Amino acid sequence: GQQLNQSPQSMFIQEGEDVSMNCTSSSIFNTWLWYKQEPGEGPVLLIALYKAGELTSNGRLTAQFGITRKDSFLNISASIPSDVGIYFCAGRRGTYKYIFGTGTRLKVLA
Amino acid sequence: DAGVTQSPTHLIKTRGQHVTLRCSPISGHKSVSWYQQVLGQGPQFIFQYYEKEERGRGNFPDRFSARQFPNYSSELNVNALLLGDSALYLCASSLEQGQETQYFGPGTRLLVL
């Protein structure tokens, strides 16, 4: 099935470092969501974006809706060990179908 | 408030069998979507139901079917199971159909032997 491209695929970082990841598509979306998933759990919504250019923060997380509407970015500042997990972007086109990215696996070294 | 709940949490079936998975949305949410997540990949959209009607379907065979009940809970049915159906099946609920965010349940882990 169709999936959005996320990069990097995985990353190891030191505690306290900032993290950046992005999600790209060949198609335009009208909503972008960012989720975090931990082993054995369902994805948990982190941030939702509804307008091109929108910049939204949730604590140490900041996400942006790309102005072309074909990409989105997520930044995590001052990472901590509990940030470990898989981060998924999801784009929505129309009223019901979300297409998910391939995921970015984050590991934080204390 | 309770989040999205799914049952069972784990299930083991053999090829050719059928399976029914259940989902209860967040109270007040009228829309339920189902996703399949194969190990190492992102979730893939299967169905969306809103007000008891199918509103969208992903690229899955007719062996997959679903329904939504008057209380907005939902069932996903898969017939003639294949080994490739082994996955985490996720249910997500949203308040309305349209420009709304969705919230996921913990999923049902299905293993087909």
Tab-separated table of all heavy atoms in Angstrom, chain A residues 1-3 30-31 33 35 37 40-45 48 50 88 90 92 94-103 105, chain B residues 33 35 37 39-45 48 55-59 88 90 97-107 109:
chain	number	residue	atom	x	y	z
A	1	GLY	N	0.802	-1.196	0.000
A	1	GLY	CA	0.000	0.000	0.000
A	1	GLY	C	0.847	1.262	0.000
A	1	GLY	O	2.042	1.235	0.261
A	2	GLN	N	0.197	2.372	-0.269
A	2	GLN	CA	0.915	3.639	-0.340
A	2	GLN	C	1.359	4.096	1.035
A	2	GLN	O	0.585	4.016	2.003
A	2	GLN	CB	0.016	4.703	-0.958
A	2	GLN	CG	0.697	6.062	-1.114
A	2	GLN	CD	-0.239	7.128	-1.641
A	2	GLN	OE1	-1.422	6.890	-1.824
A	2	GLN	NE2	0.281	8.311	-1.878
A	3	GLN	N	2.613	4.549	1.131
A	3	GLN	CA	3.124	5.112	2.371
A	3	GLN	C	3.928	6.352	2.034
A	3	GLN	O	4.541	6.454	0.979
A	3	GLN	CB	4.006	4.096	3.104
A	3	GLN	CG	3.240	2.862	3.584
A	3	GLN	CD	3.732	2.355	4.906
A	3	GLN	OE1	4.880	2.003	5.048
A	3	GLN	NE2	2.846	2.307	5.900
A	30	ASN	N	-4.464	17.903	3.053
A	30	ASN	CA	-5.090	19.031	3.736
A	30	ASN	C	-4.999	18.937	5.252
A	30	ASN	O	-5.425	19.842	5.970
A	30	ASN	CB	-6.551	19.211	3.286
A	30	ASN	CG	-7.371	17.949	3.457
A	30	ASN	OD1	-7.092	17.105	4.310
A	30	ASN	ND2	-8.387	17.808	2.628
A	31	THR	N	-4.475	17.836	5.740
A	31	THR	CA	-4.218	17.673	7.175
A	31	THR	C	-2.963	16.828	7.340
A	31	THR	O	-2.778	15.850	6.597
A	31	THR	CB	-5.395	16.954	7.880
A	31	THR	OG1	-6.604	17.696	7.682
A	31	THR	CG2	-5.131	16.813	9.371
A	33	LEU	N	-0.755	14.869	10.491
A	33	LEU	CA	-0.715	14.474	11.894
A	33	LEU	C	0.627	13.826	12.187
A	33	LEU	O	1.224	13.186	11.312
A	33	LEU	CB	-1.832	13.469	12.215
A	33	LEU	CG	-3.260	13.884	11.890
A	33	LEU	CD1	-4.218	12.740	12.198
A	33	LEU	CD2	-3.660	15.116	12.679
A	35	TYR	N	2.356	11.149	15.020
A	35	TYR	CA	2.064	10.180	16.068
A	35	TYR	C	3.378	9.595	16.594
A	35	TYR	O	4.371	9.521	15.889
A	35	TYR	CB	1.241	9.006	15.509
A	35	TYR	CG	-0.181	9.322	15.147
A	35	TYR	CD1	-0.505	9.771	13.872
A	35	TYR	CD2	-1.203	9.143	16.068
A	35	TYR	CE1	-1.825	10.036	13.526
A	35	TYR	CE2	-2.520	9.401	15.728
A	35	TYR	CZ	-2.816	9.851	14.454
A	35	TYR	OH	-4.121	10.109	14.121
A	37	GLN	N	4.558	5.901	18.436
A	37	GLN	CA	4.125	4.554	18.773
A	37	GLN	C	5.230	3.836	19.524
A	37	GLN	O	6.380	3.837	19.115
A	37	GLN	CB	3.749	3.774	17.510
A	37	GLN	CG	3.133	2.416	17.800
A	37	GLN	CD	2.663	1.711	16.536
A	37	GLN	OE1	3.186	1.941	15.459
A	37	GLN	NE2	1.649	0.858	16.665
A	40	GLY	N	4.040	-2.614	21.021
A	40	GLY	CA	2.824	-3.226	21.534
A	40	GLY	C	1.678	-2.267	21.770
A	40	GLY	O	0.635	-2.670	22.299
A	41	GLU	N	1.852	-1.030	21.390
A	41	GLU	CA	0.813	-0.031	21.616
A	41	GLU	C	0.324	0.537	20.291
A	41	GLU	O	0.993	0.421	19.254
A	41	GLU	CB	1.368	1.129	22.469
A	41	GLU	CG	1.995	0.703	23.786
A	41	GLU	CD	0.952	0.412	24.828
A	41	GLU	OE1	-0.174	0.933	24.712
A	41	GLU	OE2	1.248	-0.361	25.759
A	42	GLY	N	-0.831	1.201	20.351
A	42	GLY	CA	-1.292	1.933	19.185
A	42	GLY	C	-0.618	3.291	19.131
A	42	GLY	O	-0.067	3.771	20.121
A	43	PRO	N	-0.642	3.928	17.964
A	43	PRO	CA	-0.047	5.264	17.849
A	43	PRO	C	-0.782	6.278	18.730
A	43	PRO	O	-2.002	6.225	18.849
A	43	PRO	CB	-0.231	5.599	16.363
A	43	PRO	CG	-0.443	4.289	15.685
A	43	PRO	CD	-1.158	3.438	16.681
A	44	VAL	N	-0.011	7.188	19.308
A	44	VAL	CA	-0.574	8.251	20.139
A	44	VAL	C	-0.394	9.578	19.420
A	44	VAL	O	0.715	9.907	18.985
A	44	VAL	CB	0.116	8.291	21.515
A	44	VAL	CG1	-0.373	9.487	22.325
A	44	VAL	CG2	-0.145	7.001	22.284
A	45	LEU	N	-1.479	10.322	19.289
A	45	LEU	CA	-1.423	11.593	18.581
A	45	LEU	C	-0.579	12.614	19.336
A	45	LEU	O	-0.767	12.819	20.538
A	45	LEU	CB	-2.844	12.135	18.395
A	45	LEU	CG	-2.984	13.444	17.636
A	45	LEU	CD1	-2.559	13.263	16.185
A	45	LEU	CD2	-4.415	13.945	17.708
A	48	ALA	N	-1.438	17.932	15.501
A	48	ALA	CA	-2.262	17.976	14.291
A	48	ALA	C	-2.071	19.334	13.617
A	48	ALA	O	-2.020	20.363	14.296
A	48	ALA	CB	-3.726	17.761	14.628
A	50	TYR	N	-3.378	21.823	10.242
A	50	TYR	CA	-4.513	21.952	9.338
A	50	TYR	C	-4.319	22.950	8.210
A	50	TYR	O	-5.115	22.980	7.265
A	50	TYR	CB	-5.756	22.368	10.126
A	50	TYR	CG	-6.169	21.360	11.171
A	50	TYR	CD1	-5.951	21.608	12.528
A	50	TYR	CD2	-6.767	20.155	10.818
A	50	TYR	CE1	-6.334	20.687	13.493
A	50	TYR	CE2	-7.146	19.228	11.772
A	50	TYR	CZ	-6.925	19.510	13.105
A	50	TYR	OH	-7.302	18.600	14.055
A	88	PHE	N	5.503	8.484	13.509
A	88	PHE	CA	4.839	8.380	12.209
A	88	PHE	C	4.182	9.697	11.854
A	88	PHE	O	3.540	10.333	12.693
A	88	PHE	CB	3.741	7.312	12.223
A	88	PHE	CG	4.232	5.897	12.265
A	88	PHE	CD1	4.199	5.174	13.438
A	88	PHE	CD2	4.707	5.281	11.111
A	88	PHE	CE1	4.649	3.863	13.479
A	88	PHE	CE2	5.155	3.965	11.140
A	88	PHE	CZ	5.125	3.261	12.333
A	90	ALA	N	1.266	11.280	9.239
A	90	ALA	CA	0.090	10.825	8.488
A	90	ALA	C	-0.495	12.029	7.779
A	90	ALA	O	-0.662	13.096	8.380
A	90	ALA	CB	-0.942	10.183	9.405
A	92	ARG	N	-3.725	13.484	5.345
A	92	ARG	CA	-5.101	13.177	4.974
A	92	ARG	C	-5.494	13.990	3.756
A	92	ARG	O	-5.249	15.189	3.664
A	92	ARG	CB	-6.072	13.486	6.097
A	92	ARG	CG	-7.471	12.925	5.825
A	92	ARG	CD	-8.468	13.409	6.818
A	92	ARG	NE	-8.713	14.825	6.652
A	92	ARG	CZ	-9.716	15.476	7.197
A	92	ARG	NH1	-10.570	14.831	7.963
A	92	ARG	NH2	-9.872	16.759	7.007
A	94	GLY	N	-8.991	14.512	1.362
A	94	GLY	CA	-10.407	14.178	1.387
A	94	GLY	C	-10.908	14.136	2.813
A	94	GLY	O	-10.400	14.844	3.680
A	95	THR	N	-11.895	13.283	3.064
A	95	THR	CA	-12.558	13.322	4.367
A	95	THR	C	-12.277	12.120	5.250
A	95	THR	O	-12.669	12.112	6.412
A	95	THR	CB	-14.080	13.422	4.190
A	95	THR	OG1	-14.530	12.302	3.431
A	95	THR	CG2	-14.473	14.716	3.500
A	96	TYR	N	-11.635	11.104	4.739
A	96	TYR	CA	-11.547	9.934	5.602
A	96	TYR	C	-10.238	9.186	5.574
A	96	TYR	O	-9.888	8.501	6.511
A	96	TYR	CB	-12.643	8.930	5.239
A	96	TYR	CG	-12.520	8.346	3.837
A	96	TYR	CD1	-11.730	7.231	3.602
A	96	TYR	CD2	-13.190	8.910	2.772
A	96	TYR	CE1	-11.600	6.693	2.328
A	96	TYR	CE2	-13.069	8.383	1.491
A	96	TYR	CZ	-12.281	7.287	1.280
A	96	TYR	OH	-12.169	6.770	0.016
A	97	LYS	N	-9.483	9.257	4.520
A	97	LYS	CA	-8.342	8.363	4.373
A	97	LYS	C	-7.044	9.032	4.784
A	97	LYS	O	-6.634	10.027	4.210
A	97	LYS	CB	-8.236	7.888	2.922
A	97	LYS	CG	-7.137	6.873	2.687
A	97	LYS	CD	-7.157	6.386	1.258
A	97	LYS	CE	-6.066	5.348	1.020
A	97	LYS	NZ	-6.095	4.854	-0.371
A	98	TYR	N	-6.430	8.455	5.814
A	98	TYR	CA	-5.112	8.890	6.224
A	98	TYR	C	-4.073	7.947	5.649
A	98	TYR	O	-4.230	6.727	5.711
A	98	TYR	CB	-4.983	8.900	7.748
A	98	TYR	CG	-5.731	10.012	8.433
A	98	TYR	CD1	-7.042	9.832	8.857
A	98	TYR	CD2	-5.129	11.233	8.655
A	98	TYR	CE1	-7.730	10.847	9.488
A	98	TYR	CE2	-5.811	12.263	9.295
A	98	TYR	CZ	-7.103	12.065	9.709
A	98	TYR	OH	-7.780	13.074	10.329
A	99	ILE	N	-3.010	8.520	5.112
A	99	ILE	CA	-1.893	7.726	4.618
A	99	ILE	C	-0.718	7.970	5.549
A	99	ILE	O	-0.350	9.125	5.803
A	99	ILE	CB	-1.540	8.109	3.177
A	99	ILE	CG1	-2.741	7.834	2.264
A	99	ILE	CG2	-0.319	7.331	2.700
A	99	ILE	CD1	-2.566	8.339	0.854
A	100	PHE	N	-0.152	6.876	6.041
A	100	PHE	CA	0.908	6.979	7.032
A	100	PHE	C	2.286	6.900	6.379
A	100	PHE	O	2.465	6.334	5.289
A	100	PHE	CB	0.774	5.862	8.069
A	100	PHE	CG	-0.216	6.182	9.139
A	100	PHE	CD1	-1.573	6.110	8.885
A	100	PHE	CD2	0.206	6.578	10.395
A	100	PHE	CE1	-2.503	6.426	9.867
A	100	PHE	CE2	-0.715	6.889	11.383
A	100	PHE	CZ	-2.067	6.819	11.116
A	101	GLY	N	3.248	7.463	7.096
A	101	GLY	CA	4.627	7.365	6.664
A	101	GLY	C	5.251	6.043	7.075
A	101	GLY	O	4.627	5.225	7.758
A	102	THR	N	6.477	5.879	6.665
A	102	THR	CA	7.218	4.640	6.939
A	102	THR	C	7.796	4.610	8.343
A	102	THR	O	8.245	3.568	8.799
A	102	THR	CB	8.352	4.493	5.923
A	102	THR	OG1	9.089	5.724	5.861
A	102	THR	CG2	7.787	4.191	4.535
A	103	GLY	N	7.779	5.745	9.043
A	103	GLY	CA	8.223	5.782	10.426
A	103	GLY	C	9.680	6.182	10.594
A	103	GLY	O	10.529	5.876	9.758
A	105	ARG	N	12.484	5.690	13.576
A	105	ARG	CA	12.762	5.031	14.857
A	105	ARG	C	13.797	5.837	15.603
A	105	ARG	O	14.917	6.009	15.125
A	105	ARG	CB	13.240	3.598	14.604
A	105	ARG	CG	12.123	2.686	14.166
A	105	ARG	CD	12.610	1.510	13.361
A	105	ARG	NE	11.505	0.662	12.953
A	105	ARG	CZ	10.666	0.945	11.962
A	105	ARG	NH1	10.817	2.047	11.271
A	105	ARG	NH2	9.691	0.115	11.665
B	33	SER	N	-12.398	4.124	12.283
B	33	SER	CA	-11.590	3.646	11.156
B	33	SER	C	-10.771	2.448	11.602
B	33	SER	O	-10.394	2.345	12.771
B	33	SER	CB	-10.646	4.748	10.659
B	33	SER	OG	-11.378	5.845	10.150
B	35	TYR	N	-7.322	0.015	10.693
B	35	TYR	CA	-6.027	-0.006	10.031
B	35	TYR	C	-5.348	-1.345	10.280
B	35	TYR	O	-5.531	-1.963	11.331
B	35	TYR	CB	-5.113	1.099	10.572
B	35	TYR	CG	-5.528	2.491	10.208
B	35	TYR	CD1	-6.530	3.146	10.924
B	35	TYR	CD2	-4.931	3.162	9.146
B	35	TYR	CE1	-6.920	4.435	10.589
B	35	TYR	CE2	-5.306	4.448	8.802
B	35	TYR	CZ	-6.300	5.077	9.533
B	35	TYR	OH	-6.678	6.364	9.194
B	37	GLN	N	-1.511	-2.901	10.543
B	37	GLN	CA	-0.108	-2.523	10.653
B	37	GLN	C	0.743	-3.778	10.686
B	37	GLN	O	0.796	-4.482	11.697
B	37	GLN	CB	0.159	-1.666	11.888
B	37	GLN	CG	1.591	-1.139	11.941
B	37	GLN	CD	1.844	-0.229	13.115
B	37	GLN	OE1	1.150	-0.272	14.128
B	37	GLN	NE2	2.855	0.627	12.997
B	39	LEU	N	4.310	-5.667	10.805
B	39	LEU	CA	5.519	-5.384	11.577
B	39	LEU	C	6.526	-4.598	10.749
B	39	LEU	O	6.852	-4.965	9.622
B	39	LEU	CB	6.134	-6.703	12.049
B	39	LEU	CG	7.204	-6.600	13.127
B	39	LEU	CD1	6.609	-6.036	14.404
B	39	LEU	CD2	7.823	-7.971	13.389
B	40	GLY	N	6.974	-3.483	11.308
B	40	GLY	CA	7.986	-2.677	10.650
B	40	GLY	C	7.459	-1.646	9.671
B	40	GLY	O	8.246	-0.944	9.036
B	41	GLN	N	6.134	-1.561	9.553
B	41	GLN	CA	5.540	-0.595	8.632
B	41	GLN	C	4.561	0.316	9.351
B	41	GLN	O	4.186	0.075	10.494
B	41	GLN	CB	4.824	-1.329	7.499
B	41	GLN	CG	5.735	-2.182	6.626
B	41	GLN	CD	4.987	-2.831	5.491
B	41	GLN	OE1	3.870	-2.447	5.147
B	41	GLN	NE2	5.605	-3.839	4.882
B	42	GLY	N	4.145	1.352	8.663
B	42	GLY	CA	3.110	2.220	9.192
B	42	GLY	C	1.731	1.613	8.980
B	42	GLY	O	1.563	0.689	8.181
B	43	PRO	N	0.729	2.105	9.691
B	43	PRO	CA	-0.636	1.582	9.513
B	43	PRO	C	-1.162	1.814	8.097
B	43	PRO	O	-0.880	2.839	7.484
B	43	PRO	CB	-1.437	2.393	10.529
B	43	PRO	CG	-0.442	2.862	11.543
B	43	PRO	CD	0.814	3.097	10.756
B	44	GLN	N	-1.934	0.842	7.607
B	44	GLN	CA	-2.575	0.930	6.304
B	44	GLN	C	-4.086	1.003	6.502
B	44	GLN	O	-4.665	0.163	7.197
B	44	GLN	CB	-2.241	-0.296	5.453
B	44	GLN	CG	-0.787	-0.397	5.065
B	44	GLN	CD	-0.428	0.492	3.899
B	44	GLN	OE1	-1.251	0.800	3.060
B	44	GLN	NE2	0.826	0.936	3.858
B	45	PHE	N	-4.716	1.970	5.878
B	45	PHE	CA	-6.153	2.197	6.020
B	45	PHE	C	-6.953	1.055	5.413
B	45	PHE	O	-6.703	0.649	4.268
B	45	PHE	CB	-6.508	3.520	5.347
B	45	PHE	CG	-7.975	3.813	5.262
B	45	PHE	CD1	-8.678	4.239	6.379
B	45	PHE	CD2	-8.661	3.650	4.082
B	45	PHE	CE1	-10.032	4.511	6.307
B	45	PHE	CE2	-10.011	3.925	3.989
B	45	PHE	CZ	-10.697	4.364	5.107
B	48	GLN	N	-13.382	3.136	6.857
B	48	GLN	CA	-13.932	4.100	7.786
B	48	GLN	C	-15.448	3.961	7.812
B	48	GLN	O	-16.092	3.830	6.761
B	48	GLN	CB	-13.595	5.543	7.437
B	48	GLN	CG	-14.027	6.486	8.571
B	48	GLN	CD	-14.078	7.944	8.180
B	48	GLN	OE1	-14.801	8.330	7.274
B	48	GLN	NE2	-13.307	8.765	8.883
B	55	ARG	N	-17.909	4.719	4.801
B	55	ARG	CA	-17.634	5.974	4.122
B	55	ARG	C	-16.346	5.918	3.318
B	55	ARG	O	-16.087	6.823	2.521
B	55	ARG	CB	-17.525	7.126	5.133
B	55	ARG	CG	-18.759	7.321	5.962
B	55	ARG	CD	-19.966	7.693	5.118
B	55	ARG	NE	-21.167	7.869	5.917
B	55	ARG	CZ	-21.935	8.955	5.880
B	55	ARG	NH1	-21.637	9.943	5.063
B	55	ARG	NH2	-23.003	9.027	6.645
B	56	GLY	N	-15.547	4.912	3.556
B	56	GLY	CA	-14.306	4.792	2.810
B	56	GLY	C	-13.713	3.412	2.971
B	56	GLY	O	-13.925	2.753	3.977
B	57	ARG	N	-12.995	2.984	1.929
B	57	ARG	CA	-12.400	1.667	1.942
B	57	ARG	C	-11.017	1.745	1.312
B	57	ARG	O	-10.845	2.376	0.276
B	57	ARG	CB	-13.275	0.693	1.152
B	57	ARG	CG	-12.786	-0.729	1.206
B	57	ARG	CD	-13.619	-1.632	0.317
B	57	ARG	NE	-13.168	-3.024	0.448
B	57	ARG	CZ	-13.862	-3.984	1.040
B	57	ARG	NH1	-15.064	-3.730	1.516
B	57	ARG	NH2	-13.371	-5.206	1.139
B	58	GLY	N	-10.072	1.098	1.945
B	58	GLY	CA	-8.728	1.039	1.400
B	58	GLY	C	-8.587	-0.127	0.439
B	58	GLY	O	-9.559	-0.802	0.101
B	59	ASN	N	-7.378	-0.367	0.013
B	59	ASN	CA	-7.101	-1.391	-0.991
B	59	ASN	C	-6.930	-2.760	-0.332
B	59	ASN	O	-5.836	-3.310	-0.272
B	59	ASN	CB	-5.843	-1.000	-1.783
B	59	ASN	CG	-5.618	-1.920	-2.951
B	59	ASN	OD1	-6.557	-2.523	-3.465
B	59	ASN	ND2	-4.371	-2.046	-3.364
B	88	LEU	N	-0.886	-6.178	13.414
B	88	LEU	CA	-1.584	-5.454	14.478
B	88	LEU	C	-2.743	-4.714	13.815
B	88	LEU	O	-2.535	-3.950	12.872
B	88	LEU	CB	-0.634	-4.465	15.154
B	88	LEU	CG	-1.192	-3.621	16.294
B	88	LEU	CD1	-1.521	-4.496	17.505
B	88	LEU	CD2	-0.212	-2.531	16.686
B	90	LEU	N	-5.540	-2.004	14.146
B	90	LEU	CA	-5.789	-0.803	14.935
B	90	LEU	C	-7.133	-0.203	14.598
B	90	LEU	O	-7.527	-0.143	13.435
B	90	LEU	CB	-4.690	0.236	14.664
B	90	LEU	CG	-3.282	-0.167	15.092
B	90	LEU	CD1	-2.253	0.725	14.391
B	90	LEU	CD2	-3.130	-0.058	16.600
B	97	GLN	N	-16.999	12.744	10.937
B	97	GLN	CA	-16.299	12.575	9.679
B	97	GLN	C	-15.945	13.968	9.176
B	97	GLN	O	-16.745	14.880	9.268
B	97	GLN	CB	-17.182	11.869	8.669
B	97	GLN	CG	-16.469	11.596	7.360
B	97	GLN	CD	-17.399	11.071	6.298
B	97	GLN	OE1	-18.595	11.284	6.349
B	97	GLN	NE2	-16.858	10.357	5.338
B	98	GLY	N	-14.758	14.111	8.636
B	98	GLY	CA	-14.384	15.427	8.152
B	98	GLY	C	-13.072	15.877	8.748
B	98	GLY	O	-12.211	15.092	9.066
B	99	GLN	N	-12.899	17.157	8.947
B	99	GLN	CA	-11.617	17.666	9.406
B	99	GLN	C	-11.465	17.491	10.917
B	99	GLN	O	-11.576	18.427	11.680
B	99	GLN	CB	-11.471	19.133	9.045
B	99	GLN	CG	-10.064	19.643	9.226
B	99	GLN	CD	-9.765	20.782	8.291
B	99	GLN	OE1	-10.311	20.852	7.215
B	99	GLN	NE2	-8.893	21.686	8.699
B	100	GLU	N	-11.210	16.276	11.292
B	100	GLU	CA	-11.036	15.948	12.695
B	100	GLU	C	-9.845	15.023	12.873
B	100	GLU	O	-9.534	14.228	12.003
B	100	GLU	CB	-12.276	15.236	13.245
B	100	GLU	CG	-13.492	16.136	13.391
B	100	GLU	CD	-13.346	17.126	14.512
B	100	GLU	OE1	-12.514	16.884	15.394
B	100	GLU	OE2	-14.063	18.147	14.500
B	101	THR	N	-9.215	15.117	13.992
B	101	THR	CA	-8.122	14.204	14.304
B	101	THR	C	-8.684	12.883	14.795
B	101	THR	O	-9.832	12.805	15.222
B	101	THR	CB	-7.202	14.803	15.366
B	101	THR	OG1	-7.988	15.131	16.506
B	101	THR	CG2	-6.520	16.052	14.853
B	102	GLN	N	-7.882	11.840	14.714
B	102	GLN	CA	-8.319	10.527	15.127
B	102	GLN	C	-7.417	10.003	16.227
B	102	GLN	O	-6.231	10.323	16.284
B	102	GLN	CB	-8.354	9.563	13.943
B	102	GLN	CG	-7.049	9.427	13.207
B	102	GLN	CD	-7.154	8.469	12.031
B	102	GLN	OE1	-8.186	7.858	11.782
B	102	GLN	NE2	-6.077	8.314	11.291
B	103	TYR	N	-7.995	9.173	17.071
B	103	TYR	CA	-7.302	8.636	18.233
B	103	TYR	C	-7.337	7.118	18.164
B	103	TYR	O	-8.401	6.522	17.972
B	103	TYR	CB	-7.948	9.144	19.521
B	103	TYR	CG	-7.888	10.646	19.630
B	103	TYR	CD1	-8.880	11.440	19.062
B	103	TYR	CD2	-6.824	11.266	20.274
B	103	TYR	CE1	-8.813	12.818	19.129
B	103	TYR	CE2	-6.751	12.652	20.360
B	103	TYR	CZ	-7.747	13.421	19.781
B	103	TYR	OH	-7.675	14.776	19.851
B	104	PHE	N	-6.177	6.507	18.361
B	104	PHE	CA	-6.050	5.069	18.178
B	104	PHE	C	-6.220	4.292	19.472
B	104	PHE	O	-5.872	4.766	20.563
B	104	PHE	CB	-4.669	4.731	17.608
B	104	PHE	CG	-4.539	4.992	16.144
B	104	PHE	CD1	-4.191	6.246	15.682
B	104	PHE	CD2	-4.775	3.988	15.215
B	104	PHE	CE1	-4.068	6.504	14.324
B	104	PHE	CE2	-4.659	4.227	13.859
B	104	PHE	CZ	-4.311	5.488	13.416
B	105	GLY	N	-6.722	3.079	19.321
B	105	GLY	CA	-6.727	2.118	20.398
B	105	GLY	C	-5.406	1.372	20.437
B	105	GLY	O	-4.542	1.582	19.586
B	106	PRO	N	-5.256	0.453	21.405
B	106	PRO	CA	-3.990	-0.280	21.549
B	106	PRO	C	-3.797	-1.366	20.510
B	106	PRO	O	-2.687	-1.874	20.349
B	106	PRO	CB	-4.095	-0.884	22.953
B	106	PRO	CG	-5.562	-1.008	23.179
B	106	PRO	CD	-6.196	0.157	22.483
B	107	GLY	N	-4.863	-1.739	19.805
B	107	GLY	CA	-4.739	-2.728	18.748
B	107	GLY	C	-5.001	-4.147	19.192
B	107	GLY	O	-4.991	-4.475	20.383
B	109	ARG	N	-3.431	-7.849	18.250
B	109	ARG	CA	-2.332	-8.539	17.564
B	109	ARG	C	-2.841	-9.882	17.071
B	109	ARG	O	-3.207	-10.738	17.869
B	109	ARG	CB	-1.166	-8.736	18.515
B	109	ARG	CG	-0.008	-9.553	17.970
B	109	ARG	CD	0.799	-8.776	16.959
B	109	ARG	NE	1.448	-7.602	17.527
B	109	ARG	CZ	2.147	-6.730	16.799
B	109	ARG	NH1	2.265	-6.896	15.506
B	109	ARG	NH2	2.707	-5.699	17.381
